[in-house]
């Protein structure tokens, strides 16, 4: 969780200084959901992510240097600087990509689950999406299909209460979004997304069910988005009580208190983790800043298929 927080803070600092092109969307405050969910997976499992996906990828095993370089648009990044903040991917790690289109990762995850079932393997796909994506047709169509065919997918809604500037209960008529699972006769559960252990247990149960061939589940992690929708968004549409509640539910600070209270860790051990992560992210920044940009001659490399003849034939 500290790795994700430090990465996001450094990315925000670089963006504010004008070092990053385009825009970035931060998951500060949502680290427990990000990490607890991924911790329930095997390395061979898959994830799909969102425009707010830096943390998802880091928690799945992405290298912080290559991630930072991708944000900088450098050739040493995961997509050689061509994916940027919202489209980083590494299939070798089971990361089927972040996605800048709301809800677009949901059918991709469903297809991944179908592929696992057809191949007869036991990989599970964890599908991250936000609260507003649950109003998209892709959400309902994908879950209906996954439920009917018992696909090994865990649909993970990170409900931070806002879709850009619209409060979720202005556009939905349910207290909890997980209730929508009932329409497809699959398990649905709402979890405190700021409690990393609660998240882990809920997702672990859903993953085990999927791996056993029993089909998909819907997990709703209730979280808080500390920043605006994008880096630089003043978020004046949110009441001050939202941020007060968000900081009271700081997943890192509260987990630190728990670890100290039950004797699992000492102050020195936790401080050492903080320093280790600060050093790692600083090294990632230096790597990204010093890396070269892609050569203009490679503008279309990795963007379109190089097997044009076969694509045309199909």
């Amino acid at each position: 969780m500290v790795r994700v927080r430090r990465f996001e803070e450094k990315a925000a600092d670089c963006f504010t200084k004008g070092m990053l092109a385009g825009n970035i969307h931060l998951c500060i405050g949502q680290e427990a959901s990000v990490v607890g969910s991924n911790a329930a997976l095997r390395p061979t499992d898959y994830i799909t992510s969102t425009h707010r996906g830096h943390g998802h990828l880091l928690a799945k095993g992405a290298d912080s240097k290559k991630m930072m370089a991708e944000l900088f648009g450098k050739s040493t990044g995961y997509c050689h600087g061509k994916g940027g903040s919202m489209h980083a991917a590494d299939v070798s790690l089971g990361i089927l990509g972040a996605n800048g289109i709301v809800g677009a990762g949901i059918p991709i995850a469903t297809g991944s689950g179908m592929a696992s079932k057809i191949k007869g393997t036991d990989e599970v796909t964890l599908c991250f999406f936000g609260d507003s994506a649950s109003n998209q047709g892709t959400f309902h169509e994908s879950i209906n299909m996954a439920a009917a065919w018992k696909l090994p997918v865990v649909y993970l809604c990170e409900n931070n209460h806002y879709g850009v500037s619209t409060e979720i209960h202005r556009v939905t008529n349910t207290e909890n979004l997980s209730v929508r699972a009932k329409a497809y006769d699959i398990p649905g559960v709402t979890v405190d997304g700021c409690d990393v252990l609660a998240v882990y247990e809920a997702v672990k149960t859903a993953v085990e069910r999927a791996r056993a061939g029993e089909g998909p589940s819907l997990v709703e992690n209730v979280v808080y988005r500390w920043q605006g929708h994008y880096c630089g968004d003043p978020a004046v549409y949110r009441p001050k009580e939202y941020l007060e509640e968000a900081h009271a539910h700081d997943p890192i600070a509260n987990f630190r208190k728990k670890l100290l209270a039950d004797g699992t860790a000492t102050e020195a051990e936790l401080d050492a983790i903080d320093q280790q992560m600060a050093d790692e992210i600083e090294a990632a920044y230096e790597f990204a800043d010093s890396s070269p940009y892609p050569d203009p001659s490679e503008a279309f490399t990795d963007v379109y298929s190089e097997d044009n003849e076969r694509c045309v034939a199909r």
Side-chain angles (χ1 to χ4, degrees):
M1 289 194 289
V2 175
R3 172 182 281 114
V4 173
R5 172 92 40 109
R6 296 294 171 262
F7 183 93
E8 295 288 66
E9 289 173 341
K10 191 64 178 182
D13 179 59
C14 292
F15 178 84
T16 302
K17 292 177 178 176
M19 302 179 74
L20 307 183
N23 215 323
I24 60 173
H25 303 75
L26 306 174
C27 68
I28 295 175
Q30 301 182 186
E31 294 89 354
S33 173
V34 165
V35 173
S37 299
N38 271 290
L41 299 177
R42 295 176 181 171
T44 52
D45 290 329
Y46 297 96
I47 68 167
T48 62
S49 185
T50 70
H51 56 276
R52 202 177 307 283
H54 309 153
H56 299 151
L57 277 61
L58 288 168
K60 186 62 169 70
D63 180 84
S64 57
K65 289 183 177 180
K66 295 177 71 174
M67 276 293 298
M68 189 69 77
E70 187 61 32
L71 266 61
F72 270 65
K74 298 300 184 70
S75 61
T76 53
Y78 269 110
C79 298
H80 308 296
K82 300 168 188 175
S85 172
M86 292 189 283
H87 296 97
D90 186 351
V91 178
S92 70
L93 293 174
I95 299 169
L96 302 182
N99 207 303
I101 301 174
V102 173
I106 303 176
I108 295 173
T110 306
S112 174
M114 183 171 69
S116 294
K117 184 161 188 175
I118 290 172
K119 292 188 298 180
T121 57
D122 67 351
E123 293 103 342
V124 173
T125 301
L126 177 61
C127 173
F128 288 99
F129 57 95
D131 42 278
S132 289
S134 69
N135 288 335
Q136 298 276 9
T138 53
F139 168 84
H140 296 280
E141 294 170 29
S142 295
I143 291 187
N144 179 68
M145 178 179 177
W149 292 357
K150 294 190 181 302
L151 302 182
V153 184
V154 177
Y155 296 96
L156 197 290
C157 177
E158 293 183 313
N159 181 2
N160 61 30
H161 310 274
Y162 282 87
V164 187
S165 59
T166 302
E167 204 277 330
I168 187 61
H169 291 115
R170 293 181 59 190
V171 291
T172 58
N173 193 39
T174 59
E175 180 62 27
N176 296 316
L177 300 179
S178 63
V179 74
R180 292 178 166 180
K182 293 182 179 180
Y184 308 102
D185 197 22
I186 64 172
V189 61
T190 297
V191 181
D192 177 2
C194 298
D195 182 339
V196 68
L197 298 181
V199 170
Y200 169 75
E201 291 297 336
V203 176
K204 181 173 180 285
T205 298
V207 167
E208 290 174 348
R209 180 177 185 274
R211 208 180 302 282
E214 298 175 16
S217 301
L218 173 61
V219 178
E220 176 190 14
N221 287 345
V222 179
V223 294
Y224 295 89
R225 188 188 75 200
W226 286 22
Q227 308 294 315
H229 172 60
Y230 55 87
C231 192
D233 171 17
V236 294
Y237 44 82
R238 298 188 310 202
K240 66 176 183 178
E241 290 79 11
Y242 177 92
L243 271 183
E244 292 172 355
E245 192 171 345
H247 286 281
H249 286 80
D250 183 342
I252 298 177
N254 290 341
F255 192 51
R256 182 186 179 99
K257 291 176 184 177
K258 173 179 172 53
L259 293 174
L260 293 173
D262 64 19
T264 302
T266 65
E267 289 274 6
E269 289 171 329
L270 297 178
D271 288 345
I273 291 173
D274 289 341
Q275 187 59 55
Q276 179 186 357
M277 292 303 99
D279 293 343
E280 177 186 315
I281 301 307
E282 185 62 27
Y285 158 72
E286 292 174 359
F287 173 79
D289 188 43
S290 62
S291 292
Y293 286 103
D295 190 276
S297 65
E298 301 175 356
F300 297 113
T301 305
D302 307 314
V303 178
Y304 298 102
S305 172
E306 296 179 9
D307 192 0
N308 294 323
E309 290 184 8
R310 190 167 65 172
C311 289
V312 171
R314 287 180 178 176

